[in-house]
Amino acid sequence: MEQMKRVLLVSFLILSALIITACSGKSDSETTENENNNDASEEEQVTIVYATGVDTTGATQSQIEAFEQAHPHINVEYREMPADTGQQHDQYVTMFSSQSSEVDVYNGDIIWTAEFAQANYALELDRFIEADSIDLDSHFEGPIQAGNYNGRQWALPVYMNASFLYYRTDITDTPPATWDELIKQAEKMQGEEGTEFGYLLQGSQYEGMVTNFIEIIASYGGSVIDEDNNVVINSPETIKGLEKFAEIVQSDFVPGNILNFQEIETENAWIAGDSVFARNWTYMQSSSNDEERSEVAGNVEIAPIPAGDEGSSSALGGWMAMINRYSEHPEESWELVKFLAGEEGQKIGAIQGARAPTIESLYDDSEVQSAGPLFSNPSFVEGLSVAVPRPVSPIYPEISEIIQIEVSRVLTGEQTAEQAVENMESQLKEALAD
Ligand code: GLC
């Protein structure tokens, strides 16, 4: 029965993809019509460049095609950026700090808004939002807030991310509810059904590891900075969470090179059928159930991230459309931002890329619901609205760097969790005092 449901789901996904492709393909008569229009108003043709990280789902391409179809005078050139958010960040900083206009619209990580607003890398969207009467209340509050800094809106959400525990239904029906259960089950079940590992996470020294850290300490009641910007990282709760993180990373049920794992390594090992459990973002439900790519299609379900003493916690992630302040085509860029953050763009992202919409009503859309098992699950939607944000600060990259270095030293066994939180406390206080 379950198998049958999967087959139906996959067929539906393929069908939806075909429909989207068909809808976005130009028919002969349309092409001629558009070309005639172009002849009449050649000078109005504008090409804008849209930069966004590697997308293995093809959703970005479909969004661009649908946008171009609706805006025949705007061509969009897709610039693929690295998958690693940190590498993307550094490339944008290099570009924008020299006031380059080579990119018009870009997807910014939810953690960049304050920094990019302060550095003048983004264009305020308020006047466009007002002129086009965009209803920001139709989105979840978290991502809208994440695009707001100093009372102005610098970015609109394209999709949001929350993390989940992926598990193999051919191995277990009862996924672990706590970290201690995860450790027990991963040890016991590793090796079943051809698996090599019990659990996969992101242990490499980069931003994704910071999100693993934030959620595990939050599940024990720990956090980095409080609402009033006080550094509160040096607490027994954070120490406990960090010790649990290190225990898992140093266990025998994760790959020996887990300290090199980012999302992409996790996804590759997961769809190859190498592990019983894995931590990853929402989008992995798409490749997990893709029969062409995945060895485990039909055998994957999703549960909340395991709980610590305080409960389960997921980091808030996601990507926001922003306009380069130096773009020579702000009006056309806005049209693209409006499309990507709007219902049509987000729906394509959900159906083809399993990307979680930020527009709440899309979860009632039957096509979105059929696109991924999570989208029709009310506790998933509830989970999205309570995901834990990372610190909001114009110096977020510095904060992240401190966490990356000090936490990595615990994961490699070079220092204790107590030493790490002391070091982080003093370095963060200094960075925030500057
Ligand atoms: C995902 C999240 C993003 C986060 C990144 C870390 O892309 O959406 O917010 O920073 O993962 O690797």
Side-chain angles (χ1 to χ4, degrees):
M1 190 57 200
E2 201 53 33
Q3 185 70 22
M4 184 69 192
K5 266 170 38 196
R6 295 278 158 214
V7 171
L8 280 175
L9 178 63
V10 170
S11 323
F12 181 85
L13 279 175
I14 294 171
L15 193 68
S16 309
L18 286 175
I19 293 170
I20 290 166
T21 319
C23 291
S24 57
K26 289 176 184 160
S27 71
D28 284 346
S29 59
E30 277 167 346
T31 310
T32 320
E33 206 180 285
N34 288 345
E35 275 165 6
N36 288 343
N37 279 345
N38 297 351
D39 288 347
S41 53
E42 187 97 24
E43 69 278 19
E44 285 175 21
Q45 277 291 323
V46 168
T47 296
I48 55 175
V49 175
Y50 171 40
T52 174
V54 174
D55 170 16
T56 52
T57 69
T60 305
Q61 195 54 46
S62 298
Q63 285 168 324
I64 291 174
E65 282 166 15
F67 173 80
E68 287 180 331
Q69 184 78 11
H71 300 83
H73 71 294
I74 310 178
N75 306 314
V76 179
E77 208 177 283
Y78 170 20
R79 163 102 45 111
E80 194 178 78
M81 300 294 282
D84 178 341
T85 172
Q87 286 175 22
Q88 281 191 61
H89 170 272
D90 295 352
Q91 288 193 18
Y92 288 124
V93 170
T94 305
M95 242 184 247
F96 300 148
S97 58
S98 62
Q99 309 197 347
S100 163
S101 59
E102 66 191 283
V103 158
D104 296 286
V105 177
Y106 56 100
N107 270 13
D109 196 333
I110 207 158
I111 48 182
W112 300 349
T113 311
E115 179 198 4
F116 278 28
Q118 182 126 325
N120 253 338
Y121 295 162
L123 196 63
E124 300 90 324
L125 304 179
D126 306 83
R127 71 184 161 100
F128 298 114
I129 292 171
E130 210 167 295
D132 283 348
S133 310
I134 304 293
D135 178 16
L136 298 185
D137 291 340
S138 64
H139 295 259
F140 286 116
E141 205 186 328
I144 291 293
Q145 282 308 325
N148 195 290
Y149 183 67
N150 274 350
R152 281 181 284 172
Q153 199 69 32
W154 305 86
L156 287 183
V158 178
Y159 64 99
M160 65 196 290
N161 261 328
S163 55
F164 289 90
L165 181 75
Y166 286 76
Y167 68 96
R168 288 275 297 275
T169 50
D170 52 339
I171 302 179
T172 179
D173 288 333
T174 46
T178 65
W179 291 110
D180 291 328
E181 280 173 33
L182 171 89
I183 292 171
K184 274 200 205 110
Q185 292 193 17
E187 269 165 1
K188 190 167 133 243
M189 294 171 186
Q190 163 181 31
E192 286 183 34
E193 298 297 333
T195 54
E196 218 181 310
F197 312 113
Y199 185 51
L200 307 169
L201 52 80
Q202 293 78 48
S204 170
Q205 187 174 317
Y206 82 120
E207 182 60 32
M209 184 272 275
V210 175
T211 62
N212 282 246
F213 166 73
I214 297 275
E215 65 200 21
I216 199 164
I217 63 166
S219 76
Y220 286 93
S223 66
V224 177
I225 292 172
D226 71 8
E227 280 158 13
D228 303 322
N229 242 0
N230 300 312
V231 177
V232 291
I233 199 163
N234 191 353
S235 70
E237 292 81 12
T238 302
I239 293 172
K240 198 163 179 194
L242 180 50
E243 280 171 347
K244 197 57 71 181
F245 191 16
E247 181 184 343
I248 294 170
V249 164
Q250 291 162 9
S251 75
D252 289 334
F253 57 76
V254 299
N257 61 344
I258 194 73
L259 294 177
N260 295 332
F261 265 55
Q262 301 194 357
E263 287 90 354
I264 204 118
E265 288 75 22
T266 306
E267 183 177 11
N268 289 340
W270 177 254
I271 63 177
D274 291 348
S275 183
V276 185
F277 303 111
R279 181 255 181 224
N280 210 343
W281 305 105
T282 330
Y283 72 84
M284 199 169 75
Q285 61 176 329
S286 168
S287 52
S288 291
N289 289 314
D290 176 346
E291 295 206 324
E292 299 215 338
R293 291 179 62 203
S294 170
E295 298 292 326
V296 293
N299 291 327
V300 177
E301 283 291 347
I302 296 162
I305 293 289
D309 301 339
E310 274 295 310
S312 162
S313 165
S314 158
L316 176 68
W319 291 83
M320 319 279 293
M322 303 174 89
I323 300 177
N324 175 5
R325 175 156 224 104
Y326 307 104
S327 164
E328 283 156 19
H329 308 291
E331 300 293 332
E332 290 80 5
S333 295
W334 163 248
E335 288 304 318
L336 181 59
V337 169
K338 186 167 76 174
F339 176 86
L340 293 166
E343 278 190 17
E344 205 184 336
Q346 290 208 356
K347 188 167 166 176
I348 296 172
I351 293 177
Q352 215 178 321
R355 294 169 166 182
T358 61
I359 299 177
E360 222 172 326
S361 62
L362 280 175
Y363 291 94
D364 299 327
D365 181 297
S366 60
E367 283 176 275
V368 170
Q369 290 191 344
S370 322
L374 289 176
F375 295 151
S376 54
N377 180 339
S379 42
F380 165 72
V381 182
E382 163 82 30
L384 282 181
S385 55
V386 296
V388 196
R390 281 160 278 171
V392 174
S393 163
I395 60 153
Y396 182 76
E398 214 178 313
I399 296 175
S400 172
E401 176 93 358
I402 293 170
I403 298 176
Q404 289 180 35
I405 293 172
E406 296 299 329
V407 171
S408 287
R409 289 202 185 123
V410 178
L411 301 182
T412 54
E414 287 164 69
Q415 68 178 355
T416 63
E418 279 94 347
Q419 284 164 337
V421 297
E422 269 176 35
N423 293 345
M424 288 192 274
E425 179 181 40
S426 57
Q427 292 172 37
L428 288 170
K429 280 188 172 161
E430 203 178 315
L432 287 163
D434 285 344

